[in-house]
Amino acid sequence: MKQTFLALSLVVLLGSCKSAKQDISKNTIKKETNMETAVKLSNKDKVVALLNSFNTGDPTPISYINPNKYIQHNLAVADGLQGFGEVMHHAPEGGFKAKVIRAFEDGDYVFTHTEYDFFGPKAGFDVFRFEDGKIVEHWDNLMDIQKPNPSGRTQFDGATEITDLDKTEANKKTVKEFLEKVVINHEMDKLTTYINPAKYLQHNPAIADGLEGFGAAMKYFAENGLVMEFTKIHKVLGQGNFVLTLSEGKFGKGDHTAFYDLFRLENGQIVEHWDIITTIPSKAEWKNENGKF
């Protein structure tokens, strides 16, 4: 009987050891799988997850920001993770919300077009720069959501599909030339070289579709002593048929202004446009020393 009991005990012990080894093996595989998943996340995936964490409260995406180097260009936010945390600390009841409409990747940069509930409904463009898989720098431009424009278009609707990946650099070149020659140098005879005269969909809240809408807006500005002057292009980022530019200049009565413009191209011409235009505050109001650009 004693031998039988010992034999049974040995069987149970061996079974327990085998089960423990299986559990350890499963946990190891699970950890390795999670690590593999994290490694496979693209920079674009990381940014989308970070913005979506406003909705979910998931703290994991904060780890995608380099805790030792986070250069902030939103002038209302202090530098580093401390500044980011301070903003989150002042979130209203229910927190902030973010709906990413479009997301793009260009080398070490990711840029997004997002509908926010951030101290009120906002439209925003964000740009993030990565080093070694971590976010180290951030730029943005935000404005209150406006009513649909004279053509019934909003600040968010329109095409979202990324195509023509092989034309990224050519499209970036086209947009840069458009801003330099037409917008900055006022070479209006070249307008239809860059903008498709038969198809130009406009999402600026105050401007209608087509070259007619563009012309009417320019006429209104001229008649009312207003300006829309680009003085410097700071960044041109793109992925396929979409190009985002970050520019500096003057707007309205001459206010120092940041222009963020998103263009969609077809066959080498601009066919759709979204923008966010915001006044750059005086330096006395800045919460960091990094500048808007």
Short mmCIF file of all heavy atoms in Angstrom, two decimals, residues 127-169:
data_model
loop_
_atom_site.label_atom_id
_atom_site.label_comp_id
_atom_site.label_asym_id
_atom_site.label_seq_id
_atom_site.Cartn_x
_atom_site.Cartn_y
_atom_site.Cartn_z
N VAL A 127 2.31 66.71 -36.12
CA VAL A 127 3.51 66.12 -36.71
C VAL A 127 4.38 65.60 -35.57
O VAL A 127 4.64 66.32 -34.60
CB VAL A 127 4.29 67.16 -37.54
CG1 VAL A 127 5.58 66.53 -38.09
CG2 VAL A 127 3.45 67.71 -38.67
N PHE A 128 4.82 64.35 -35.71
CA PHE A 128 5.68 63.72 -34.71
C PHE A 128 6.97 63.27 -35.38
O PHE A 128 6.94 62.71 -36.47
CB PHE A 128 5.01 62.50 -34.09
CG PHE A 128 3.71 62.79 -33.39
CD1 PHE A 128 2.51 62.84 -34.09
CD2 PHE A 128 3.68 62.99 -32.01
CE1 PHE A 128 1.31 63.09 -33.45
CE2 PHE A 128 2.47 63.24 -31.36
CZ PHE A 128 1.29 63.29 -32.08
N ARG A 129 8.10 63.50 -34.71
CA ARG A 129 9.38 63.01 -35.21
C ARG A 129 9.88 61.89 -34.30
O ARG A 129 9.79 62.01 -33.07
CB ARG A 129 10.42 64.13 -35.27
CG ARG A 129 11.76 63.68 -35.89
CD ARG A 129 12.71 64.86 -36.10
NE ARG A 129 13.15 65.44 -34.85
CZ ARG A 129 14.19 64.99 -34.13
NH1 ARG A 129 14.88 63.92 -34.53
NH2 ARG A 129 14.54 65.59 -33.01
N PHE A 130 10.40 60.83 -34.93
CA PHE A 130 10.89 59.66 -34.19
C PHE A 130 12.41 59.55 -34.26
O PHE A 130 13.03 59.94 -35.25
CB PHE A 130 10.29 58.38 -34.79
CG PHE A 130 8.87 58.11 -34.39
CD1 PHE A 130 7.82 58.83 -34.95
CD2 PHE A 130 8.58 57.13 -33.46
CE1 PHE A 130 6.51 58.57 -34.60
CE2 PHE A 130 7.25 56.86 -33.10
CZ PHE A 130 6.22 57.58 -33.66
N GLU A 131 12.97 59.02 -33.21
CA GLU A 131 14.37 58.56 -33.19
C GLU A 131 14.38 57.20 -32.52
O GLU A 131 13.85 57.06 -31.40
CB GLU A 131 15.26 59.53 -32.41
CG GLU A 131 15.58 60.83 -33.13
CD GLU A 131 16.48 61.76 -32.32
OE1 GLU A 131 16.88 61.36 -31.18
OE2 GLU A 131 16.77 62.87 -32.78
N ASP A 132 14.96 56.22 -33.18
CA ASP A 132 15.07 54.87 -32.61
C ASP A 132 13.73 54.35 -32.11
O ASP A 132 13.64 53.73 -31.04
CB ASP A 132 16.10 54.85 -31.48
CG ASP A 132 17.48 55.27 -31.95
OD1 ASP A 132 17.86 54.88 -33.07
OD2 ASP A 132 18.18 56.00 -31.21
N GLY A 133 12.68 54.61 -32.87
CA GLY A 133 11.37 54.06 -32.54
C GLY A 133 10.61 54.81 -31.46
O GLY A 133 9.52 54.38 -31.06
N LYS A 134 11.15 55.93 -30.99
CA LYS A 134 10.50 56.72 -29.94
C LYS A 134 10.19 58.14 -30.46
O LYS A 134 10.98 58.71 -31.22
CB LYS A 134 11.38 56.84 -28.70
CG LYS A 134 11.69 55.52 -28.02
CD LYS A 134 10.52 55.04 -27.16
CE LYS A 134 10.92 53.82 -26.33
NZ LYS A 134 9.80 53.36 -25.47
N ILE A 135 9.08 58.70 -30.00
CA ILE A 135 8.72 60.07 -30.35
C ILE A 135 9.61 61.03 -29.57
O ILE A 135 9.71 60.95 -28.34
CB ILE A 135 7.25 60.35 -30.03
CG1 ILE A 135 6.33 59.45 -30.85
CG2 ILE A 135 6.91 61.83 -30.28
CD1 ILE A 135 4.88 59.46 -30.38
N VAL A 136 10.27 61.94 -30.29
CA VAL A 136 11.17 62.88 -29.62
C VAL A 136 10.80 64.35 -29.90
O VAL A 136 11.39 65.25 -29.30
CB VAL A 136 12.64 62.65 -30.04
CG1 VAL A 136 13.13 61.28 -29.56
CG2 VAL A 136 12.82 62.81 -31.55
N GLU A 137 9.84 64.58 -30.80
CA GLU A 137 9.50 65.96 -31.13
C GLU A 137 8.06 66.03 -31.67
O GLU A 137 7.61 65.09 -32.33
CB GLU A 137 10.49 66.52 -32.16
CG GLU A 137 10.53 68.02 -32.25
CD GLU A 137 11.80 68.54 -32.94
OE1 GLU A 137 12.58 67.73 -33.48
OE2 GLU A 137 12.00 69.77 -32.93
N HIS A 138 7.38 67.15 -31.38
CA HIS A 138 5.98 67.28 -31.77
C HIS A 138 5.64 68.72 -32.17
O HIS A 138 6.04 69.67 -31.50
CB HIS A 138 5.08 66.87 -30.60
CG HIS A 138 3.63 67.20 -30.81
ND1 HIS A 138 2.98 68.19 -30.10
CD2 HIS A 138 2.70 66.67 -31.66
CE1 HIS A 138 1.72 68.27 -30.49
NE2 HIS A 138 1.53 67.36 -31.44
N TRP A 139 4.95 68.85 -33.30
CA TRP A 139 4.41 70.13 -33.78
C TRP A 139 2.91 69.95 -33.98
O TRP A 139 2.45 68.84 -34.31
CB TRP A 139 5.01 70.52 -35.12
CG TRP A 139 6.48 70.71 -35.19
CD1 TRP A 139 7.17 71.89 -35.20
CD2 TRP A 139 7.49 69.69 -35.33
NE1 TRP A 139 8.52 71.66 -35.33
CE2 TRP A 139 8.74 70.33 -35.41
CE3 TRP A 139 7.43 68.29 -35.39
CZ2 TRP A 139 9.93 69.62 -35.54
CZ3 TRP A 139 8.61 67.58 -35.52
CH2 TRP A 139 9.85 68.25 -35.59
N ASP A 140 2.13 71.02 -33.86
CA ASP A 140 0.72 70.92 -34.21
C ASP A 140 0.13 72.28 -34.54
O ASP A 140 0.73 73.33 -34.30
CB ASP A 140 -0.10 70.23 -33.10
CG ASP A 140 -0.16 71.04 -31.81
OD1 ASP A 140 0.41 72.14 -31.74
OD2 ASP A 140 -0.81 70.55 -30.85
N ASN A 141 -1.05 72.24 -35.15
CA ASN A 141 -1.84 73.43 -35.42
C ASN A 141 -3.29 73.06 -35.18
O ASN A 141 -3.78 72.07 -35.74
CB ASN A 141 -1.65 73.92 -36.85
CG ASN A 141 -1.40 75.41 -36.94
OD1 ASN A 141 -0.94 76.02 -35.97
ND2 ASN A 141 -1.68 76.02 -38.07
N LEU A 142 -3.97 73.83 -34.33
CA LEU A 142 -5.35 73.52 -33.94
C LEU A 142 -6.23 74.74 -34.15
O LEU A 142 -5.79 75.88 -33.97
CB LEU A 142 -5.41 73.12 -32.46
CG LEU A 142 -4.57 71.93 -31.99
CD1 LEU A 142 -4.56 71.87 -30.47
CD2 LEU A 142 -5.12 70.64 -32.56
N MET A 143 -7.48 74.49 -34.51
CA MET A 143 -8.46 75.57 -34.59
C MET A 143 -9.84 75.03 -34.26
O MET A 143 -10.09 73.82 -34.38
CB MET A 143 -8.45 76.22 -35.97
CG MET A 143 -9.01 75.38 -37.10
SD MET A 143 -8.99 76.21 -38.72
CE MET A 143 -10.18 77.52 -38.45
N ASP A 144 -10.74 75.91 -33.84
CA ASP A 144 -12.10 75.50 -33.55
C ASP A 144 -12.76 74.95 -34.81
O ASP A 144 -12.53 75.46 -35.92
CB ASP A 144 -12.92 76.68 -33.03
CG ASP A 144 -12.47 77.16 -31.66
OD1 ASP A 144 -11.82 76.37 -30.94
OD2 ASP A 144 -12.76 78.32 -31.31
N ILE A 145 -13.58 73.92 -34.64
CA ILE A 145 -14.31 73.37 -35.78
C ILE A 145 -15.32 74.40 -36.28
O ILE A 145 -16.04 75.02 -35.50
CB ILE A 145 -15.01 72.05 -35.38
CG1 ILE A 145 -13.95 70.97 -35.11
CG2 ILE A 145 -15.96 71.59 -36.48
CD1 ILE A 145 -14.52 69.64 -34.66
N GLN A 146 -15.35 74.58 -37.59
CA GLN A 146 -16.22 75.56 -38.23
C GLN A 146 -17.38 74.88 -38.95
O GLN A 146 -17.39 73.67 -39.15
CB GLN A 146 -15.41 76.37 -39.26
CG GLN A 146 -14.12 76.98 -38.71
CD GLN A 146 -14.38 78.06 -37.69
OE1 GLN A 146 -15.13 79.00 -37.94
NE2 GLN A 146 -13.76 77.93 -36.52
N LYS A 147 -18.35 75.68 -39.37
CA LYS A 147 -19.46 75.17 -40.16
C LYS A 147 -18.96 74.78 -41.55
O LYS A 147 -17.91 75.25 -41.99
CB LYS A 147 -20.55 76.24 -40.28
CG LYS A 147 -21.23 76.59 -38.97
CD LYS A 147 -22.26 77.68 -39.19
CE LYS A 147 -22.95 78.05 -37.87
NZ LYS A 147 -23.96 79.14 -38.06
N PRO A 148 -19.72 73.95 -42.29
CA PRO A 148 -19.32 73.62 -43.66
C PRO A 148 -19.14 74.87 -44.51
O PRO A 148 -19.78 75.90 -44.28
CB PRO A 148 -20.50 72.77 -44.16
CG PRO A 148 -21.06 72.14 -42.92
CD PRO A 148 -20.92 73.20 -41.86
N ASN A 149 -18.24 74.77 -45.48
CA ASN A 149 -17.92 75.94 -46.32
C ASN A 149 -19.01 76.16 -47.39
O ASN A 149 -19.99 75.42 -47.45
CB ASN A 149 -16.52 75.78 -46.93
CG ASN A 149 -16.43 74.67 -47.97
OD1 ASN A 149 -17.43 74.15 -48.46
ND2 ASN A 149 -15.20 74.30 -48.31
N PRO A 150 -18.87 77.19 -48.24
CA PRO A 150 -19.92 77.48 -49.24
C PRO A 150 -20.23 76.31 -50.18
O PRO A 150 -21.30 76.28 -50.79
CB PRO A 150 -19.33 78.67 -50.01
CG PRO A 150 -18.46 79.36 -49.01
CD PRO A 150 -17.86 78.26 -48.20
N SER A 151 -19.30 75.36 -50.31
CA SER A 151 -19.56 74.17 -51.14
C SER A 151 -20.07 72.99 -50.33
O SER A 151 -20.22 71.88 -50.85
CB SER A 151 -18.28 73.77 -51.89
OG SER A 151 -17.91 74.76 -52.82
N GLY A 152 -20.33 73.23 -49.03
CA GLY A 152 -20.87 72.18 -48.17
C GLY A 152 -19.84 71.20 -47.65
O GLY A 152 -20.19 70.17 -47.07
N ARG A 153 -18.56 71.51 -47.82
CA ARG A 153 -17.50 70.60 -47.36
C ARG A 153 -17.06 70.97 -45.95
O ARG A 153 -17.00 72.15 -45.59
CB ARG A 153 -16.31 70.63 -48.31
CG ARG A 153 -16.70 70.25 -49.73
CD ARG A 153 -15.49 70.05 -50.64
NE ARG A 153 -15.95 69.93 -52.01
CZ ARG A 153 -16.48 68.82 -52.54
NH1 ARG A 153 -16.58 67.75 -51.80
NH2 ARG A 153 -16.89 68.81 -53.79
N THR A 154 -16.71 69.96 -45.16
CA THR A 154 -16.25 70.19 -43.79
C THR A 154 -14.72 70.18 -43.75
O THR A 154 -14.06 69.93 -44.76
CB THR A 154 -16.79 69.12 -42.84
OG1 THR A 154 -16.10 67.87 -43.08
CG2 THR A 154 -18.29 68.91 -43.04
N GLN A 155 -14.20 70.40 -42.55
CA GLN A 155 -12.74 70.38 -42.36
C GLN A 155 -12.18 68.97 -42.33
O GLN A 155 -10.95 68.80 -42.28
CB GLN A 155 -12.40 71.09 -41.05
CG GLN A 155 -12.67 72.58 -41.09
CD GLN A 155 -12.73 73.19 -39.71
OE1 GLN A 155 -13.74 73.07 -39.01
NE2 GLN A 155 -11.67 73.84 -39.30
N PHE A 156 -13.05 67.94 -42.39
CA PHE A 156 -12.58 66.56 -42.25
C PHE A 156 -12.97 65.64 -43.41
O PHE A 156 -12.29 64.64 -43.65
CB PHE A 156 -13.13 65.95 -40.96
CG PHE A 156 -12.79 66.72 -39.73
CD1 PHE A 156 -13.76 67.48 -39.09
CD2 PHE A 156 -11.51 66.73 -39.22
CE1 PHE A 156 -13.46 68.21 -37.96
CE2 PHE A 156 -11.18 67.45 -38.09
CZ PHE A 156 -12.17 68.20 -37.46
N ASP A 157 -14.07 65.92 -44.10
CA ASP A 157 -14.52 64.96 -45.11
C ASP A 157 -13.60 64.98 -46.33
O ASP A 157 -12.63 65.73 -46.40
CB ASP A 157 -15.98 65.20 -45.50
CG ASP A 157 -16.23 66.57 -46.12
OD1 ASP A 157 -15.27 67.34 -46.29
OD2 ASP A 157 -17.40 66.89 -46.41
N GLY A 158 -13.90 64.12 -47.30
CA GLY A 158 -13.06 64.01 -48.48
C GLY A 158 -12.29 62.71 -48.51
O GLY A 158 -12.47 61.82 -47.67
N ALA A 159 -11.42 62.58 -49.48
CA ALA A 159 -10.67 61.33 -49.71
C ALA A 159 -9.73 61.02 -48.55
O ALA A 159 -9.16 61.93 -47.92
CB ALA A 159 -9.88 61.44 -51.00
N THR A 160 -9.55 59.74 -48.28
CA THR A 160 -8.63 59.30 -47.24
C THR A 160 -7.64 58.24 -47.74
O THR A 160 -6.62 58.02 -47.09
CB THR A 160 -9.40 58.70 -46.04
OG1 THR A 160 -10.20 57.60 -46.51
CG2 THR A 160 -10.30 59.74 -45.38
N GLU A 161 -7.92 57.61 -48.86
CA GLU A 161 -7.08 56.50 -49.34
C GLU A 161 -5.72 57.01 -49.82
O GLU A 161 -5.63 57.96 -50.61
CB GLU A 161 -7.77 55.76 -50.48
CG GLU A 161 -6.98 54.55 -50.97
CD GLU A 161 -7.63 53.85 -52.15
OE1 GLU A 161 -8.67 54.34 -52.63
OE2 GLU A 161 -7.07 52.82 -52.60
N ILE A 162 -4.67 56.37 -49.33
CA ILE A 162 -3.31 56.70 -49.76
C ILE A 162 -2.97 55.87 -50.98
O ILE A 162 -3.03 54.64 -50.96
CB ILE A 162 -2.30 56.42 -48.64
CG1 ILE A 162 -2.63 57.25 -47.39
CG2 ILE A 162 -0.88 56.73 -49.10
CD1 ILE A 162 -1.81 56.88 -46.17
N THR A 163 -2.61 56.54 -52.07
CA THR A 163 -2.24 55.86 -53.31
C THR A 163 -0.93 56.46 -53.83
O THR A 163 -0.36 57.39 -53.23
CB THR A 163 -3.34 56.02 -54.38
OG1 THR A 163 -3.49 57.42 -54.69
CG2 THR A 163 -4.67 55.47 -53.89
N ASP A 164 -0.45 55.96 -54.96
CA ASP A 164 0.70 56.53 -55.66
C ASP A 164 1.94 56.67 -54.77
O ASP A 164 2.62 57.70 -54.77
CB ASP A 164 0.36 57.91 -56.24
CG ASP A 164 -0.79 57.87 -57.23
OD1 ASP A 164 -0.97 56.82 -57.88
OD2 ASP A 164 -1.51 58.88 -57.34
N LEU A 165 2.24 55.62 -54.02
CA LEU A 165 3.40 55.68 -53.12
C LEU A 165 4.69 55.95 -53.88
O LEU A 165 5.63 56.55 -53.34
CB LEU A 165 3.51 54.38 -52.32
CG LEU A 165 2.41 54.14 -51.28
CD1 LEU A 165 2.57 52.78 -50.62
CD2 LEU A 165 2.39 55.25 -50.24
N ASP A 166 4.75 55.53 -55.13
CA ASP A 166 5.94 55.75 -55.93
C ASP A 166 6.08 57.21 -56.39
O ASP A 166 7.12 57.60 -56.93
CB ASP A 166 5.94 54.83 -57.15
CG ASP A 166 4.72 55.05 -58.05
OD1 ASP A 166 3.63 55.30 -57.51
OD2 ASP A 166 4.86 54.97 -59.28
N LYS A 167 5.05 58.02 -56.15
CA LYS A 167 5.08 59.42 -56.59
C LYS A 167 5.25 60.40 -55.42
O LYS A 167 5.08 61.61 -55.60
CB LYS A 167 3.80 59.75 -57.36
CG LYS A 167 3.63 58.94 -58.63
CD LYS A 167 2.32 59.28 -59.34
CE LYS A 167 2.14 58.45 -60.61
NZ LYS A 167 0.84 58.72 -61.27
N THR A 168 5.59 59.87 -54.25
CA THR A 168 5.68 60.73 -53.06
C THR A 168 6.60 61.92 -53.28
O THR A 168 6.21 63.08 -53.04
CB THR A 168 6.16 59.91 -51.84
OG1 THR A 168 5.19 58.91 -51.52
CG2 THR A 168 6.36 60.82 -50.63
N GLU A 169 7.83 61.67 -53.71
CA GLU A 169 8.79 62.77 -53.84
C GLU A 169 8.39 63.74 -54.94
O GLU A 169 8.55 64.96 -54.79
CB GLU A 169 10.20 62.21 -54.11
CG GLU A 169 10.77 61.44 -52.92
CD GLU A 169 10.76 62.24 -51.63
OE1 GLU A 169 11.11 63.44 -51.67
OE2 GLU A 169 10.39 61.68 -50.58
#
